[in-house]
Amino acid sequence: MAAWPGGPCPSCGNDVPPSMIRCCECRTLLNSDLEISDVKIPEYVPLPETDADPARTVTVRGFYSSCDSCGHTHRLRARYAGKRVRCKHCDAMMRTPADLSGTSQDGPKLAALYAACPDCDRPIDFAAVDVGATVFCQSCGTPVRPEHAPAAEPASV
């Protein structure tokens, strides 16, 4: 008998592509010439499902913002969001974006955010729209999901 031409399985009716030896669904032998009585065919056991998204959650450590005066881009920690800081390039005071989600249209423009890779500890740069999405470390390729740090609880008096 020639190789399996493709089509429905004679046992279960599942569509089987050409040149297959066994049906993917019911494991029926599709070519009787290949049947050997003294060889034991192992039982088909489907593999368990794995997590489709292996990304690990990391906290946003800071952001990149440009100076109002000279346009130089600075890497700042998240605690400086919404504050005035001194530009190390031109020594002028510059405002930083208060909203690190990147949705605010008023105030200074947010250039990008960064977090640390959990494997190689190098910074991972990403856009504000990528918060909550899977991004990859530029150094080692580790998939991570950046999230904003939870808001601190207000101190009760």
Side-chain angles (χ1 to χ4, degrees):
M1 178 180 213
W4 176 254
C9 171
S11 295
C12 68
N14 185 36
D15 189 36
V16 182
S19 301
M20 295 294 290
I21 296 172
R22 293 190 172 273
C23 173
C24 302
E25 197 68 30
C26 68
R27 307 298 295 160
T28 300
L29 186 64
L30 300 172
N31 188 340
S32 60
D33 292 344
L34 299 175
E35 190 164 15
I36 302 172
S37 60
D38 58 345
V39 176
K40 185 174 184 249
I41 310 273
E43 180 184 341
Y44 174 74
V45 179
L47 295 174
E49 292 292 323
T50 58
D51 185 13
D53 187 9
R56 294 169 26 200
T57 303
V58 294
T59 303
V60 173
R61 284 199 176 170
F63 59 98
Y64 294 91
S65 184
S66 298
C67 175
D68 302 330
S69 299
C70 68
H72 187 79
T73 302
H74 297 276
R75 182 177 142 181
L76 301 166
R77 292 188 181 155
R79 67 179 178 208
Y80 294 112
K83 298 183 180 177
R84 293 175 55 84
V85 295
R86 187 168 304 278
C87 174
K88 291 182 179 180
H89 191 64
C90 71
D91 211 31
M93 291 302 288
M94 61 182 255
R95 297 178 306 143
T96 60
D99 180 23
L100 294 184
S101 68
T103 58
S104 177
Q105 298 299 325
D106 57 331
K109 189 149 179 115
L110 180 66
L113 298 168
Y114 71 89
C117 175
D119 287 345
C120 68
D121 204 35
R122 292 195 177 160
I124 302 169
D125 301 334
F126 52 92
V129 297
D130 291 331
V131 172
T134 300
V135 296
F136 295 90
C137 175
Q138 294 94 340
S139 299
C140 67
T142 300
V144 296
R145 184 178 301 109
E147 299 290 341
H148 288 297
E153 293 290 324
S156 57
V157 188

